[in-house]
Amino acid sequence: MPEELLARVKELRHLLHKWNHEYHVLDQPSVSDAEYDKALNELVRLEEENPSLQSEDSPSQRVGGAPLSVFEKVEHTTPMLSLGNAFNEEDLRDFDRRVRQGVGNEVSYVAELKIDGLAVSLRYEDGLFIQGATRGDGSVGEDITQNLKTIRSIPLRLSKPVSIEVRGEAFMPKKSFISLNEQKEELGEEPFANPRNAAAGSLRQLDPKLAAKRNLDIYVYGIGNPATTGVNSHSGGLDLLDELGFKTNNERKKCSNIDEVIEFTSSWVEKRPALPYEIDGIVIKVDSFEQQDELGFTAKSPRWAIAYKFPAEEVVTRLVDIELNVGRTGVITPTAILEPVRVAGTVVKRASLHNEDLIREKDIKLGDYVIVKKAGDIIPEVVHVLLEKRTGEEKDFLMPTHCPECNSELVRLDEEVALRCINPECPAQIREGLIHFVSRNAMNIDGLGERVIAQLFQEKLISNVADLYRLQKDQLVAMERMGEKSATNLIEAITTSKKNSLEKLLFGLGIRHVGAKAAKTLAQHFETMEKLQSATIDDLVAINEIGEKMAEAVVTYFHKPEVVHLIDELKALGVNTDYTGPKLVNVEDIDSFFAGKTIVLTGKLEILTRNEAKEKIELLGGKVAGSVSKNTDLLIAGEAAGSKLDQAKKHGVEVWNEERLVLELNK
Ligand code: IVH
């Protein structure tokens, strides 16, 4: 290969990287778009002519490579959690109180904009961008590396050869959203409801060339594995991210108390509309990583951060009708049909009214003018009726006496507000049960949405969950709006779901009172479907988290002959019925000092990180709690331990230093 060619390719890459960073990250372009495009085209051409020169971090990757047939699943090394919400000043002050109770009064916060896009994780090895993924269910997302490479503000190579996982929000700027929708409307296509959906839709395109056209952008806001970076605060982390070449959002403020945080949040209520991208709130994070560690996490979110959500927008519209829906469990839910109205970024046409009592309480009549908002900025809700706008033409709404789908008589079970259809053959219940079975927390079958299930059910291709595993590709291809490719993908997704661990199947079956968490507990304890099927009420209530009501529901369910038959069918079709997650160990079987004890960690640990200490203690059967109480067995006091040490002394709790802990852990 001629030397000059290699040199030219290197030069072009260097220039394009530099121009890209100047334009998309620093917002300080030094060349015209035309000059950039000319260099990029030359590079693409040279790489095409000399395939051996192609490289993962070449700026040519930005134009998007070959289309994929399916996104691979990616397991996140640390879960991508969401945040708890604050809706007003009081919620923020409560958050601050909880934080200070946990770590003392010396706290500073970083307040930053909550970008309204979709969360992504970006992995770099030795400075090279190797994988980007969606959040998915928090534990498993989808590999969208090729699409993310088209976002010019995502560096393909960092300024230092570090291995790091960063998290950020990919989004579509308002301007790009408006012009994309204009284009879509011209083509007679359905426009996107809001920039968030547009960004998500673009990143879920299988063809990266399409994603490349969508003008997406990103702000990164955190590090997945901060312990490995040597920085000790969130603000330090953001500075490091800047230094490595990432785009962080500059509208952030370090606040030394909650008053400053509140001032920051209220200032953005007014400034928000002028931003070139959408935000849905302000994120507040405890700055010190040590304090973050000390505060830890709840099951869903960190205790060291919170999302302040802007007050919900309220609009007026007319309620034209009330529709009735039959759910998976037979509950009849009335839904308001509204004159379409734009609220908080989307057009709202329907809002759940939950039950008859609520309709009476709010005195809702057909034809009323109503105030509508989105609860938590997501779920449309009728706030109240505008009584002053009544004309006398409005009509009372009466709940039906018979199921709108199967016409059997509706009943109100003891003390329930809901009306139910109790016909087990009701088609609506079966259809909704199938939709639940394939949903994310259940069997998680991609490509099988409500529409496809409803269609398959209507065409009698499926009538129970086992039928899903009998579907053949040609049956799918014959369906309306289903291409060859989607059919192949769907069959593949269905087949993949056969391998799911038992808890997903259990949750999917829709046993009364068994939510996703209880399904996991059951799967962990019984490990196989057979053992669970033969469990008695006593066996079940012996488990801490399982109450009488759930135990009864589980036993009743597994004794139904049709359920026994269904499970046999699923097994015969190759569906896994074993638990394949991490093993649960019985505390009594663990021969360790820590087994069954409640331990609190405080102060700065030097040998272990707080998470490591927690994991090791838990592996040995101990429980790590956040605060000292009379139930605490042991306090581990690191450097500069504060109020927790005082409390431990007050309660007469045994106190160890870190060395003693490490010695005992290694025994
Ligand atoms: S921090 C442990 N910072 O909001 C969670 N999130 O529910 C750490 N988001 O899923 C998230 N801007 O997609 C953080 N500056 C920001 C953010 C931000 C937007 C999104 C993110 C996350 C959701 C929180």
Side-chain angles (χ1 to χ4, degrees), residues 327-345:
R328 164 170 75 88
T329 60
V331 170
I332 310 289
T333 312
T335 301
I337 306 299
L338 305 166
E339 262 173 20
V341 61
R342 207 176 164 80
V343 49

Side-chain angles (χ1 to χ4, degrees), residues 81-83 112-115 118-119 135 169 221 283 285 302 304:
L81 300 171
S82 56
L83 294 175
E112 52 196 55
L113 305 186
K114 185 167 185 301
I115 313 297
L118 85 160
R135 174 174 183 277
E169 195 84 351
Y221 53 65
V283 180
K285 301 172 186 169
W304 43 263

Side-chain angles (χ1 to χ4, degrees), residues 326-332 402-403 406-413 416 418-426 429 512:
V326 188
R328 164 170 75 88
T329 60
V331 170
I332 310 289
H402 289 76
C403 175
C406 70
N407 209 28
S408 55
E409 196 168 346
L410 299 177
V411 297
R412 199 183 273 254
L413 299 182
E416 276 193 355
L419 268 182
R420 274 179 198 272
C421 164
I422 51 165
N423 168 17
E425 320 250 292
C426 171
Q429 289 180 49
R512 269 197 95 180

